[in-house]
Amino acid sequence: MRESVGLLGTGRMGTAIGRRLLAAGVGLTVWNRTPARTEPLVADGAVAAATPAALAACEVVFVAVSASADLLAVLDGPEGLLARPDGLRVVVDCSTVSAAASARARQLAADAGVGFVAAPVSGNPAVVAAGRACFVASAPAAQFAVAEPLLGRIGRAAVRVGDGEQSRLVKLCHNLYLGVLVQALAEVTALAEKGGADREAFLRFLGETVVGSPWVRDRTPALAAGDLTPTFTTALLRKDFDLGLAAAREHEVPMAVAGLTHQLVQAAIGRGLGERDLLSLFAVQAQASGLAPPG
Amino acid sequence: MRESVGLLGTGRMGTAIGRRLLAAGVGLTVWNRTPARTEPLVADGAVAAATPAALAACEVVFVAVSASADLLAVLDGPEGLLARPDGLRVVVDCSTVSAAASARARQLAADAGVGFVAAPVSGNPAVVAAGRACFVASAPAAQFAVAEPLLGRIGRAAVRVGDGEQSRLVKLCHNLYLGVLVQALAEVTALAEKGGADREAFLRFLGETVVGSPWVRDRTPALAAGDLTPTFTTALLRKDFDLGLAAAREHEVPMAVAGLTHQLVQAAIGRGLGERDLLSLFAVQAQASGLAPPG
């Protein structure tokens, strides 16, 4: 028998997730607030439902909506998924929502006798489509165990980091780490370049070493060219630093280098680079180093 | 015809380089200050020579000695490689030496009509033995072109970053980047852990994402266990920060995050962790965060 899986939200991320499930042979029922947006998945074999409540017979339902309020809206109320949770065991939320909304959703699910796995995704819809996404999940082990085989068919890995809302914090930690990495890369690239090294060759070398990551290799052409076309804006990076450092304040964890990076991100936004790519950190560093401005 | 290649210095790194060349079918002549240390390579098919000067008939000679003075000693003087450079086209120095010694060696070679490629290696002898080493080279393009095919048989990549001594600076940039990466990892790991995430699962997730590097994945077991057994000591990391930040001062490049990391490395050494692993940065961060000390 094919698994009976539901999907609430068929925007770019939801559609990418749904396609991976259909490709794996999973039986999929989908719903979206704007019904026309379910059409690509229906063309691939999914069944469209009229209300979230209609998915309550599925054993697992994925949620991929765009905001905190949308998450609560699809779960709660007379037409919500949790109204009559007939057969539903676990809700897997892949949306990017606040910890408060996630905790509220977890409580609503618990009240209905349903499990809740917070599973934000590392990777954009193109990464998900390529099967390269990585999920960071938090939920009690038994609930994660229900979701894990499906997460493993969507992406290449799913790691459970805790019982509750830890996955949201871990996603922020990931983005703090990314921001510091970009600033460190900006500093050493400026030093190598001012010392006479070829910028592109330097980045190519760094990408080949043990400290090289896919991110460094993927962004080397843009950084070599000084291209600030946004992939992730400086302003969005600041939002994650605001949230991540607030979480660190709450947990009483000092963040020396992340805190300084926060202010350097602020300096890039102060110079008017908020809507440019987060490689703006290099633009500011290059200017402070007396190098020709990138781009 | 087999290439005629020489190797001066058969310590751990030199032996690993020589083995890769022999395995690639290269004809190899070797010399070492302590002759007995050439025996493993001779057993594998190399020919031992009595003096550095005896290698001057080779087209390319690699140098892998342990200090600046040793580099000049093998090149200079009546028994030195450059005394009668019969057939010798290029010296490729894979030693870790000062920029001043490297520049002096380059001048000695030029005076003898021989090319000089500075090619420090990213990777320890075990990495070289596995064929995973990466070389960062600087030399005029024509000289690099002579060395490149051989470097490509020893390691997996050789990148030319400039005409002169830039490769030394790039190696320092690599180590500054590593140091900042370790501090950033220490901060986000402490935050994730204090927020209730499992440390090992958090690191496993980070290693799978686009910001994950081989270094993060290789060191995850040690960091998860709080194991400070030295792979690269905190004191050696400080030495590279001393040199790297002095170079940045010379080139007038501000290093905000690297400068702060320098002081945090100093704080770890001040607490008595100089001879422990550079993961000492996490030990200090854990203490400042009120977490149980690692290990």
Side-chain angles (χ1 to χ4, degrees):
Chain A
M1 201 191 81
R2 299 210 303 173
E3 291 103 327
S4 164
V5 172
L7 171 63
L8 296 173
T10 59
R12 286 180 65 225
M13 183 58 85
T15 297
I17 289 172
R19 284 218 163 101
R20 292 282 304 169
L21 289 168
L22 288 168
V26 170
L28 191 66
T29 306
V30 300
W31 172 91
N32 195 68
R33 189 170 50 191
T34 306
R37 299 195 67 182
T38 62
E39 283 165 14
L41 287 174
V42 169
D44 286 355
V47 174
T51 64
L55 274 62
C58 299
E59 189 180 10
V60 178
V61 173
F62 286 86
V63 183
V65 293
S66 50
S68 296
D70 299 327
L71 170 64
L72 299 176
V74 299
L75 298 183
D76 209 6
E79 295 302 325
L81 176 67
L82 298 171
R84 296 170 297 280
D86 161 40
L88 178 63
R89 291 177 65 197
V90 168
V91 173
V92 183
D93 179 35
C94 303
S95 312
T96 296
V97 298
S98 69
S102 187
R104 173 78 184 129
R106 189 183 296 276
Q107 187 59 52
L108 286 171
D111 292 346
V114 172
F116 184 86
V117 178
V121 57
S122 166
N124 58 35
V127 171
V128 173
R132 292 196 296 128
C134 185
F135 292 93
V136 53
S138 48
Q143 295 176 19
F144 177 69
V146 176
E148 188 179 19
L150 292 165
L151 291 169
R153 288 191 226 181
I154 299 168
R156 62 199 206 82
V159 179
R160 173 177 167 264
V161 292
D163 286 340
E165 294 306 325
Q166 291 87 358
S167 60
R168 313 286 176 190
L169 179 63
V170 165
K171 186 79 195 295
L172 288 174
C173 286
H174 170 279
N175 285 5
L176 292 173
Y177 184 75
L178 168 65
V180 174
L181 181 158
V182 177
Q183 174 61 25
L185 196 62
E187 292 180 15
V188 297
T189 301
L191 174 54
E193 184 171 346
K194 208 165 177 200
D198 178 76
R199 190 197 296 170
E200 193 271 341
F202 168 72
L203 292 166
R204 197 150 32 88
F205 165 71
L206 203 68
E208 291 289 338
T209 71
V210 292
V211 297
S213 58
W215 192 90
V216 168
R217 291 189 289 277
D218 287 351
R219 302 311 310 280
T220 285
L223 187 49
D227 178 359
L228 301 184
T229 305
T231 60
F232 185 57
T233 66
T234 315
L236 283 172
L237 181 65
R238 179 177 61 180
K239 190 191 78 172
D240 285 348
F241 268 74
D242 288 341
L243 293 170
L245 291 170
R249 170 71 179 78
E250 179 193 335
H251 291 296
E252 302 291 5
V253 173
M255 304 289 280
V257 161
L260 174 53
T261 302
H262 189 212
Q263 294 306 313
L264 294 166
V265 172
Q266 182 60 63
I269 295 174
R271 283 167 189 247
L273 296 167
E275 295 310 315
R276 307 296 288 159
D277 191 67
L278 80 176
L279 291 178
S280 296
L281 290 173
F282 178 67
V284 174
Q285 173 71 25
Q287 192 171 28
S289 305
L291 292 168
Chain B
M1 202 191 77
R2 297 212 302 175
E3 290 103 327
S4 166
V5 172
L7 171 63
L8 295 173
T10 58
R12 287 178 64 223
M13 183 58 86
T15 299
I17 288 171
R19 284 219 164 101
R20 292 283 303 169
L21 289 168
L22 289 168
V26 171
L28 191 66
T29 306
V30 300
W31 172 91
N32 195 68
R33 190 169 51 190
T34 306
R37 299 194 69 181
T38 62
E39 283 165 15
L41 288 174
V42 170
D44 286 356
V47 174
T51 63
L55 275 60
C58 299
E59 189 180 12
V60 178
V61 173
F62 285 86
V63 183
V65 293
S66 49
S68 296
D70 300 327
L71 170 64
L72 299 176
V74 299
L75 299 183
D76 210 6
E79 296 302 326
L81 176 67
L82 298 171
R84 297 171 297 278
D86 161 41
L88 178 63
R89 291 176 66 195
V90 167
V91 174
V92 183
D93 179 35
C94 303
S95 312
T96 297
V97 298
S98 69
S102 187
R104 173 78 183 129
R106 188 183 296 274
Q107 187 59 51
L108 287 171
D111 293 346
V114 171
F116 184 87
V117 178
V121 55
S122 166
N124 59 35
V127 171
V128 173
R132 292 197 296 129
C134 185
F135 292 93
V136 54
S138 48
Q143 296 176 21
F144 178 69
V146 177
E148 189 179 18
L150 292 164
L151 290 170
R153 288 190 226 181
I154 299 167
R156 60 199 209 86
V159 179
R160 174 178 167 265
V161 293
D163 286 338
E165 294 306 323
Q166 291 86 0
S167 59
R168 313 285 176 189
L169 179 64
V170 166
K171 187 79 196 296
L172 288 174
C173 286
H174 170 279
N175 285 6
L176 291 173
Y177 184 74
L178 169 64
V180 174
L181 180 159
V182 177
Q183 175 60 27
L185 196 61
E187 293 180 15
V188 297
T189 301
L191 174 55
E193 185 172 346
K194 208 164 177 201
D198 178 76
R199 190 198 297 170
E200 193 271 342
F202 168 71
L203 292 167
R204 196 148 33 87
F205 165 71
L206 204 67
E208 291 289 336
T209 70
V210 292
V211 296
S213 58
W215 193 91
V216 168
R217 290 189 289 275
D218 287 351
R219 302 310 312 280
T220 286
L223 187 49
D227 178 359
L228 301 184
T229 305
T231 59
F232 186 58
T233 67
T234 315
L236 283 172
L237 180 65
R238 179 178 60 180
K239 191 192 78 172
D240 285 348
F241 268 74
D242 288 342
L243 293 170
L245 292 169
R249 170 72 179 79
E250 179 194 336
H251 290 296
E252 303 291 7
V253 173
M255 305 288 280
V257 160
L260 175 53
T261 302
H262 190 212
Q263 294 306 313
L264 294 166
V265 172
Q266 182 59 67
I269 295 174
R271 282 168 190 246
L273 296 167
E275 296 310 314
R276 308 295 288 157
D277 192 67
L278 80 175
L279 291 178
S280 296
L281 290 172
F282 178 67
V284 175
Q285 172 72 26
Q287 192 171 27
S289 306
L291 291 168

